[in-house]
Amino acid sequence: MRKSLQHLLFLSLLLSLAACQSTTAPVQKTNVKQAVNMQSSKQAFSQSTRKSSDGIQDVVWQITTVQQKRAKFFNQMPFLTLNSALQTVQGNTGCNAIFGRYTYNFGLQQLDMEVRAGHQSCDGALAQEAELLDALQRVKRFKLHGKELLFLDQSGQVLLQAQKK
């Protein structure tokens, strides 16, 4: 009996997978809440691909220095991107993904970020990662000089330097 139940479950799984391979989508009833969520997701995706013209947002910034120390490569070089459509921060510490939110005022050169990072362990990356995350939390201002972006604290001290990738 138990074996036949296992076979039945296995066959159900195979049939489900085969149905997923179908080239025609079955007609489904969609409630209003699902339709609104799907539309919101489509709008967020199309907006997230928009490019800002300010030269700061929607640019990949490779971090070159972290608190006056040269940034190190671990799994990759650290970088940040400020997504103007979603007001989100994406990037990498060199070891772990960076994610969060930000507020921004180009005219006043103000930038405030709330960020977190993943928890993967990389040999020797912990010190840079801690300094980078600390610096990002303290960023309040920025200065753009051509292809270089300086992230500053409230008093104007340079916390991070980055270059357009």
Side-chain angles (χ1 to χ4, degrees):
M1 176 74 173
R2 187 173 184 180
K3 230 176 190 166
S4 63
L5 183 58
Q6 287 175 338
H7 284 108
L8 184 59
L9 287 172
F10 180 72
L11 286 174
S12 296
L13 177 63
L14 285 178
L15 288 173
S16 296
L17 290 173
C20 290
Q21 299 298 319
S22 171
T23 57
T24 59
V27 177
Q28 294 180 337
K29 291 183 180 178
T30 304
N31 68 31
V32 174
K33 187 175 182 180
Q34 286 174 322
V36 168
N37 286 340
M38 288 186 332
Q39 186 63 27
S40 296
S41 296
K42 287 178 186 176
Q43 287 174 346
F45 178 76
S46 66
Q47 289 174 351
S48 67
T49 59
R50 177 179 47 192
K51 294 287 183 188
S52 173
S53 62
D54 60 23
I56 305 286
Q57 300 175 101
D58 306 316
V59 172
V60 177
W61 292 102
Q62 185 171 322
I63 298 170
T64 56
T65 62
V66 179
Q67 298 186 17
Q68 286 76 44
K69 296 176 191 165
R70 188 169 168 254
K72 296 177 187 171
F73 178 96
F74 292 98
N75 291 340
Q76 62 184 323
M77 285 302 291
F79 71 92
L80 284 177
T81 301
L82 304 174
N83 182 309
S84 66
L86 303 174
Q87 296 289 287
T88 56
V89 178
Q90 293 102 19
N92 197 288
T93 64
C95 177
N96 284 295
I98 297 171
F99 53 92
R101 303 195 56 76
Y102 72 97
T103 57
Y104 169 79
N105 183 316
F106 184 75
L108 298 176
Q109 293 186 321
Q110 293 176 332
L111 178 62
D112 191 24
M113 293 185 265
E114 286 184 38
V115 296
R116 290 182 171 61
H119 301 292
Q120 178 180 330
S121 178
C122 300
D123 288 338
L126 189 57
Q128 175 173 286
E129 197 164 79
E131 290 176 348
L132 176 57
L133 290 172
D134 175 63
L136 288 170
Q137 297 293 352
R138 294 180 20 220
V139 168
K140 298 295 176 198
R141 299 177 44 221
F142 67 88
K143 285 187 182 175
L144 180 61
H145 296 287
K147 292 186 176 194
E148 183 177 56
L149 180 62
L150 303 177
F151 295 89
L152 312 169
D153 67 10
Q154 190 63 40
S155 65
Q157 297 283 34
V158 176
L159 298 170
L160 302 167
Q161 290 177 281
Q163 291 195 342
K164 248 182 213 185
K165 212 168 172 186

